[in-house]
Amino acid sequence: SQTIHQWPATLVQPVGSPLSLECTVEGTSNPNLYWYRQAAGRGLQLLFYSVGIGQISSEVPQNLSASRPQDRQFILSSKKLLLSDSGFYLCAWSVGPSGQQYFGPGTRLTVT
Amino acid sequence: QKEVEQNSGPLSVPEGAIASLNCTYSDRGSQSFFWYRQYSGKSPELIMFIYSNGDKEDGRFTAQLNKASQYVSLLIRDSQPSDSATYLCAVMDTGNQFYFGTGTSLTVIP
C-alpha cells in the first residue's frame, strides 16, 4: 500500500531563517506530487505541483520554491521566511487521471 | 477564477440524524468531485469521490452530483460524534487542476 511521509511534524522558525520541508511517497511510481498551505481557519492553497522529476509548476508567486530530486521525493524550501509563511503545510500525491489526492500528515510551521 | 463554495457552518446535528453538506462549483467543465474529512489539527482524509451524475453510496456516506446545477453534496446517515470534523469539497477541472472549498464544520451532538 502507499504511504506518504512528511517531516518535521512541527517547526518554529524566526523570520528571515531558511526552510526545508521534505515529503516522500512509498509504494507507488511516477506520482503527481503537490504542496499545499492551509492558514489558520482558511482553505487549502495549492503552492506547487509536479508531474515528474525536475518538473515543477508554481501556482502562487511567493518566497517559496520546490524541487523534486527523485521520483518520490518533493522538497519545499525558502531562503528567508516571512511571518505570513506560518501555516499547515501539506504534501499530497495522486496517480493517473482519476485525480484522487492523498495527503501526508503535514508540517505545522510557526514563524516568529 | 474558478470557485468552490461551501457553507462554512458550523452545522450541528444530533447523534443518529442525517447530516447534509453542500458544495457548488463555478467551472461547468469540472469532471471529478471529492469529499475530504479533516479533524482538527490533522490532514485531510479522502472519504468519497464521484464522477457521474447521481448518487454514490459507501457505508453511511452518500455523495450526490448534479452537473447541470453544478452542485455536489455529501449525506452522512446515522451521524456519530466521531463524524465531527470539517468537510472539504474538492473539484478537479478538465486540466486536472484541483480546487478546494473552505470547508464546512460539522458537530454531531451526543
Side-chain angles (χ1 to χ4, degrees):
Chain A
S1 63
Q2 298 85 5
T3 308
I4 180 168
H5 302 279
Q6 284 187 250
W7 63 89
T10 60
L11 193 59
V12 180
Q13 293 283 95
V15 168
S17 64
L19 173 74
S20 181
L21 303 180
E22 190 165 341
C23 169
T24 59
V25 181
E26 296 178 355
T28 187
S29 298
N30 303 316
N32 299 320
L33 296 173
Y34 309 83
W35 277 113
Y36 289 88
R37 177 171 60 203
Q38 188 176 39
R42 303 281 296 276
L44 287 167
Q45 179 186 33
L46 178 63
L47 301 175
F48 301 94
Y49 68 94
S50 171
V51 298
I53 296 174
Q55 300 178 61
I56 310 293
S57 295
S58 173
E59 290 298 304
V60 181
Q62 61 225 326
N63 67 322
L64 300 172
S65 62
S67 62
R68 185 170 177 174
Q70 300 180 41
D71 181 46
R72 289 170 286 180
Q73 184 184 30
F74 206 20
I75 297 172
L76 182 69
S77 304
S78 174
K79 294 181 178 178
K80 289 186 177 182
L81 284 169
L82 307 173
L83 284 173
S84 58
D85 291 324
S86 293
F88 192 32
Y89 286 81
L90 293 157
C91 181
W93 68 273
S94 69
V95 174
S98 69
Q100 298 168 43
Q101 288 190 16
Y102 298 91
F103 287 87
T107 295
R108 193 163 302 280
L109 171 67
T110 303
V111 182
T112 61
Chain B
Q1 177 73 16
K2 298 176 183 178
E3 295 181 341
V4 177
E5 300 282 348
Q6 294 182 256
N7 187 330
S8 62
L11 173 66
S12 295
V13 299
E15 185 174 356
I18 296 175
S20 178
L21 306 164
N22 304 316
C23 173
T24 59
Y25 57 95
S26 63
D27 181 15
R28 186 171 291 277
S30 298
Q31 296 184 322
S32 305
F33 308 85
F34 308 86
W35 283 99
Y36 288 82
R37 178 176 62 200
Q38 186 174 23
Y39 292 115
S40 180
K42 301 296 185 181
S43 63
E45 173 192 9
L46 179 64
I47 56 172
M48 288 288 287
F49 55 89
I50 186 167
Y51 305 132
S52 304
N53 274 330
D55 295 359
K56 178 182 178 181
E57 187 175 318
D58 184 1
R60 296 187 296 111
F61 299 99
T62 299
Q64 298 176 318
L65 175 61
N66 184 325
K67 289 187 177 180
S69 300
Q70 296 174 238
Y71 174 95
V72 59
S73 64
L74 178 69
L75 301 178
I76 307 175
R77 292 182 300 280
D78 188 24
S79 295
Q80 301 297 309
S82 59
D83 295 326
S84 298
T86 296
Y87 289 81
L88 304 175
C89 173
V91 174
M92 187 176 77
D93 68 9
T94 53
N96 293 335
Q97 292 295 302
F98 250 64
Y99 300 90
F100 282 85
T102 54
T104 297
S105 175
L106 171 67
T107 300
V108 180
I109 303 168

